[in-house]
Amino acid sequence: MSEAVRDRAPLLRIVIAAVAAFDLLSLVQFIRAARAGAAPGPFVGLLSQTPVTAAIAAVGVAAAISFARGRGRVASGATALVALVLLSSVHARLFGSPWRHLYYSGLCLTGWIAGLVVARHRGAPANESFARTGALALLSAAYLNAGLSKVVFGGADWATNVPIQAVIIGQDGLVPGGILGAYRLLVIQTPALAAGLGLLTIAFELAGPLMLVGRRTRWLVAGGLFAMHINILLLTGEILYWEAILLLAVFAVVPDDDEVAATPTGTPLGGTLFVPAVVVLVIAAALGIRHQAVRFHQRNYQTAEIAAPPVPEPPVPAPPPAAPPPTAEVAAPPAPPLPSRRQIGPFVVGTRLVDDWSIDGLTIGDHGFTVTLRGSAGSARFGVTCAAFAHKTPFDVGAAHIFYFNDASFDSLAGAGKTLRETVRRAAGKVEVCHAIAAWCAASGS
């Protein structure tokens, strides 16, 4: 076997290990930032302490280096994977939701380890062709599931211009200026272009498993997915899945090897059970995603039936009429109910914000929106507004005020308020926070 062939699998292995090590080190900082605005339980509180997260990351990085240095190192790869799982889970608990761009290194690492186990079972522990196939298979499955999720959750909406335009407005705020500003405005003002980008996104994600067919197909699909990620970055200015971009590029550029032909293990793909197994797994994924969609729908549309009755607002005196009859009683007309939304900016009904606080409702107001949370302490409401407000609150972000209602004690809702504040700050990014809030409200259909 030539040295050129021998060098191909190590390059892939080194890239996967390097991305995993970078994610481990990044998670230490992410957990530290998320912990500042959360109230973790005892176990998560222990694991989220900086010395503990740094120790876990150090062990994981050392294992990743060992994994990158030699063939067939299942134990070191598994150690790095466990460290990734621990830190990613802790961060998700603190932040309230997982950061899926940090999953790609763990997915490829899992597939690589699975391939090594298969190679050992077939008597060729140094053969990494199965490992390469396993890593590419899980990377492909991640995109397939992403496409299925869009179809199941969004349905026919993904064939329209709405999703792409809402993401652009929510992330960018359409602050004018520059070539990118003109491009974003073009997508916003051209529904056919936005709808076409949405359809291409789903098409390439659903085609992810075709990267396993051969090098030409892998070039086409990986190139489409690569372009999709770059286009999303250009349109939003912030959404960068660099781990996925790098892994797609490496898998596409590194040529196939002929290591399989040099060993008696057979081909990585094939056998009478392969196609039925793929069909079963795809159906299982679709059913699992469908179950999530049903639960999400129930949370969105049936919460009012199971929730406790809301606490009535204190009455607001109506202004006196200009010339009321001396004997007539003038009653203030009832205020119309505030329009509710499923999503406003980074907030989605049914998702967990922090600890056991979940978003129970979102309503649009004249100058902002209200987030209603539900947890073991009851319900809590936070108003997010840029209107003039006489008092400051501990949760304000720049010119935006985040005030809270007296639905629950301050001690019980302080962690939720801090997390809400940090979520607003991170989602606004470089956009002025009041501009971002206005864009979120506009994109939600107010």
Side-chain angles (χ1 to χ4, degrees):
M1 192 183 305
S2 67
E3 289 299 321
V5 171
R6 290 180 182 275
D7 286 341
R8 292 170 186 169
L11 174 60
L12 293 170
R13 185 192 337 115
I14 289 170
V15 170
I16 293 172
V19 176
F22 189 91
D23 285 347
L24 285 166
L25 295 175
S26 300
L27 278 165
V28 175
Q29 298 302 320
F30 296 152
I31 290 173
R32 183 178 180 182
R35 181 183 169 90
F43 183 68
V44 174
L46 173 63
L47 291 182
S48 62
Q49 294 181 8
T50 299
V52 177
T53 57
I56 295 173
V59 172
V61 170
I65 294 173
S66 174
F67 171 79
R69 288 170 61 88
R71 290 172 174 262
R73 300 194 175 182
V74 175
S76 56
T79 301
L81 180 61
V82 170
L84 272 171
V85 170
L86 276 175
L87 294 186
S88 183
S89 299
V90 169
H91 177 261
R93 292 281 296 176
L94 292 172
F95 185 72
S97 63
W99 283 5
R100 292 175 178 84
H101 66 279
L102 299 175
Y103 282 11
Y104 290 94
S105 59
L107 278 172
C108 290
L109 192 55
T110 302
W112 197 278
I113 294 169
L116 292 179
V117 172
V118 171
R120 286 189 178 188
H121 177 70
R122 298 197 176 194
N127 185 346
E128 292 191 311
S129 59
F130 293 96
R132 170 180 177 151
T133 301
L136 183 58
L138 289 193
L139 180 63
S140 302
Y143 283 104
L144 174 63
N145 284 327
L148 290 174
S149 296
K150 290 180 176 62
V151 172
V152 172
F153 277 85
D157 286 346
W158 271 97
T160 69
N161 56 298
V162 174
I164 297 294
Q165 292 175 333
V167 170
I168 296 172
I169 295 175
Q171 292 289 331
D172 180 66
L174 292 181
V175 178
I179 298 176
L180 289 181
Y183 175 47
R184 293 163 187 165
L185 190 60
L186 174 65
V187 176
I188 288 294
Q189 295 179 340
T190 313
L193 176 58
L197 293 175
L199 287 173
L200 284 174
T201 296
I202 293 180
F204 278 110
E205 287 182 340
L206 293 177
L210 295 180
M211 288 191 287
L212 294 164
V213 173
R215 191 181 182 197
R216 290 184 178 180
T217 308
R218 185 164 62 251
W219 261 96
L220 175 62
V221 177
L225 293 171
F226 185 96
M228 176 197 74
H229 284 299
I230 297 299
N231 191 51
I232 291 173
L233 175 62
L234 295 177
L235 289 175
T236 63
E238 292 188 0
I239 301 179
L240 173 61
Y241 277 36
W242 70 265
E243 294 95 337
I245 292 173
L246 176 59
L247 291 168
L248 286 170
V250 173
F251 272 109
V253 170
V254 175
D256 293 327
D257 58 57
D258 54 0
E259 188 175 13
V260 177
T263 61
T265 59
T267 57
L269 296 179
T272 57
L273 295 179
F274 177 74
V275 172
V278 169
V279 173
V280 170
L281 289 174
V282 171
I283 293 175
L287 291 176
I289 294 170
R290 176 59 183 169
H291 174 71
Q292 288 182 316
V294 170
R295 293 294 300 272
F296 182 78
H297 181 86
Q298 291 173 343
R299 291 284 301 183
N300 281 347
Y301 296 104
Q302 298 180 14
T303 301
E305 299 178 5
I306 61 175
V311 179
E313 295 284 348
V316 179
T327 58
E329 295 183 0
V330 180
L338 295 176
S340 60
R341 296 288 182 263
R342 286 188 297 171
Q343 178 174 0
I344 300 176
F347 303 103
V348 179
V349 173
T351 59
R352 187 167 59 87
L353 184 68
V354 63
D355 294 333
D356 65 344
W357 288 108
S358 297
I359 298 177
D360 199 40
L362 296 167
T363 54
I364 290 284
D366 291 335
H367 302 286
F369 58 93
T370 300
V371 181
T372 302
L373 304 178
R374 183 164 295 280
S376 59
S379 64
R381 289 173 297 161
F382 291 88
V384 182
T385 180
C386 287
F389 201 61
H391 304 286
K392 296 289 184 180
T393 80
F395 312 125
D396 287 351
V397 182
H401 301 291
I402 302 179
F403 58 90
Y404 56 94
F405 296 81
N406 293 323
D407 300 331
S409 66
F410 179 80
D411 291 340
S412 64
L413 56 79
K418 292 178 181 178
T419 303
L420 190 146
R421 176 191 63 200
E422 294 306 313
T423 303
V424 170
R425 176 183 288 119
R426 280 192 293 267
K430 297 179 181 179
V431 180
E432 199 278 326
V433 64
C434 287
H435 290 166
I437 291 171
W440 298 342
C441 294
S444 70
S446 61

